[in-house]
Amino acid sequence: SMKIAVTGGAGFIGSNIVDAYIAAGHEVVVIDNFSSGRKENVNAKARIHKIDITDDGILKIFEKEKFDVVSHHAAQMSVRVSVDNPQFDAHVNIVGGLNILEASRKTGVKKFIFASSGGAVYGEQNYFPADEKHSKRPCSPYGVSKLATEKYMGYYRSVYGLEYVIFRYTNVYGPRQNPHGEAGVIAIFIEKMLKGEQPIINGDGTQTRDYVFIEDLVRANVLALTDKAKGIFNVATATEQSVNTLFQLLKFRTGSQAKKTHAPMKTGEQKRSVCSYDKAKSVFGWSPRVNFEDGLARTIDWFKSQKK
């Protein structure tokens, strides 16, 4: 078994990965500042360090713990915040990422797993679905900061031999997703529909996204611990769904009376985003298993269970 640090381990994606690593018999330490992460998300068997990834105290934790693997999921995760405050985005995502990379290098971490972003790193696509070789034209500071961290990881591997797995996630959804602040559209729509409120579609609703269910993404992160897994991989479904279709599916499944209501498109968001998972499939045998309608049903059930 391994000793694994999960930064952002109290968040939606990180906490689900923590559960899977613990279930697989690994020792897991969560590093989270709890700015958006929640205590109740964290597995009782995980230890917690409450600290910001930009904090100098990170190195002391790494020196004491001596991690085998680092799963770096802590981030400023909002495209809109990055547009409004690119300095803050870069401070957390680039400077914070470097802080974790340096601590990893100095303490002999063997593998570094990084949560990057498919849509945000590729930008407007030339072809559909995008594979990992697609040109990188981020259309938001968030995409720039994710891509910059990827490039730093290339440096750490070539100079220091720090092996890595970079996962370019498409739009992740499922249980524990936070519907407040900047969150996935699925969580926001479900919460509003269950409360009898009116969700707003930004733009005309024809924009598409590739939605990957949390359970599938977690399985990719377990496979990332194997020797075969190194390099850059999309975690995606290669199918695109429009926001309008999503609205109708959720309206039907929640019994909502909401009417389709539109607002202007937001800055820094792509029109179409869909990514290929062929590389992950051929290198370490990962492909998505949960179809979109089942994933939505399971997500709605989870949101309903939170209301009790």
Side-chain angles (χ1 to χ4, degrees), residues 30-82:
V30 167
I31 293 171
D32 203 299
N33 68 356
F34 290 92
S35 59
S36 60
R38 299 164 63 190
K39 266 288 197 323
E40 54 267 39
N41 285 346
V42 181
N43 192 299
K45 292 183 179 151
R47 285 186 293 113
I48 298 172
H49 289 283
K50 186 179 177 187
I51 187 171
D52 196 280
I53 58 168
T54 61
D55 194 299
D56 289 342
I58 287 288
L59 181 57
K60 288 188 190 64
I61 291 169
F62 274 62
E63 283 169 345
K64 190 178 120 238
E65 298 279 7
K66 292 279 191 286
F67 299 114
D68 299 305
V69 175
V70 171
S71 164
H72 181 42
H73 278 77
Q76 189 301 106
M77 61 172 217
S78 160
V79 168
R80 286 167 208 169
V81 167
S82 82

Side-chain angles (χ1 to χ4, degrees), residues 118-120 123-124 139 207-209 265 268-273:
E124 292 298 349
C139 48
Q207 67 270 31
T208 66
R209 294 292 181 266
M265 190 81 179
E269 306 210 356
Q270 317 95 278
K271 189 75 185 122
R272 277 180 81 189
S273 172

Side-chain angles (χ1 to χ4, degrees), residues 225-246:
L225 301 175
T226 60
D227 289 340
K228 270 189 244 170
K230 30 181 91 108
I232 301 176
F233 303 94
N234 291 334
V235 174
T237 68
T239 52
E240 50 190 316
Q241 312 282 349
S242 75
V243 179
N244 288 332
T245 301
L246 173 64

Side-chain angles (χ1 to χ4, degrees), residues 24-156:
H26 301 295
E27 183 185 350
V28 179
V29 176
V30 167
I31 293 171
D32 203 299
N33 68 356
F34 290 92
S35 59
S36 60
R38 299 164 63 190
K39 266 288 197 323
E40 54 267 39
N41 285 346
V42 181
N43 192 299
K45 292 183 179 151
R47 285 186 293 113
I48 298 172
H49 289 283
K50 186 179 177 187
I51 187 171
D52 196 280
I53 58 168
T54 61
D55 194 299
D56 289 342
I58 287 288
L59 181 57
K60 288 188 190 64
I61 291 169
F62 274 62
E63 283 169 345
K64 190 178 120 238
E65 298 279 7
K66 292 279 191 286
F67 299 114
D68 299 305
V69 175
V70 171
S71 164
H72 181 42
H73 278 77
Q76 189 301 106
M77 61 172 217
S78 160
V79 168
R80 286 167 208 169
V81 167
S82 82
V83 168
D84 293 340
N85 193 341
Q87 298 96 319
F88 173 68
D89 177 80
H91 179 64
V92 177
N93 290 351
I94 301 178
V95 177
L98 275 170
N99 200 32
I100 301 291
L101 279 163
E102 272 291 275
S104 299
R105 165 182 84 79
K106 288 174 177 167
T107 59
V109 168
K110 297 176 194 71
K111 188 179 251 183
F112 196 100
I113 301 166
F114 174 56
S116 189
S117 166
V121 162
Y122 300 126
E124 292 298 349
Q125 292 176 215
N126 304 328
Y127 55 88
F128 305 86
D131 57 20
E132 292 80 358
K133 295 187 178 75
H134 190 284
S135 60
K136 319 295 177 280
R137 286 190 305 264
C139 48
S140 66
Y142 169 78
V144 173
S145 70
K146 285 291 185 184
L147 186 57
T149 307
E150 289 191 13
K151 299 292 187 194
Y152 278 115
M153 288 168 68
Y155 159 77
Y156 277 86

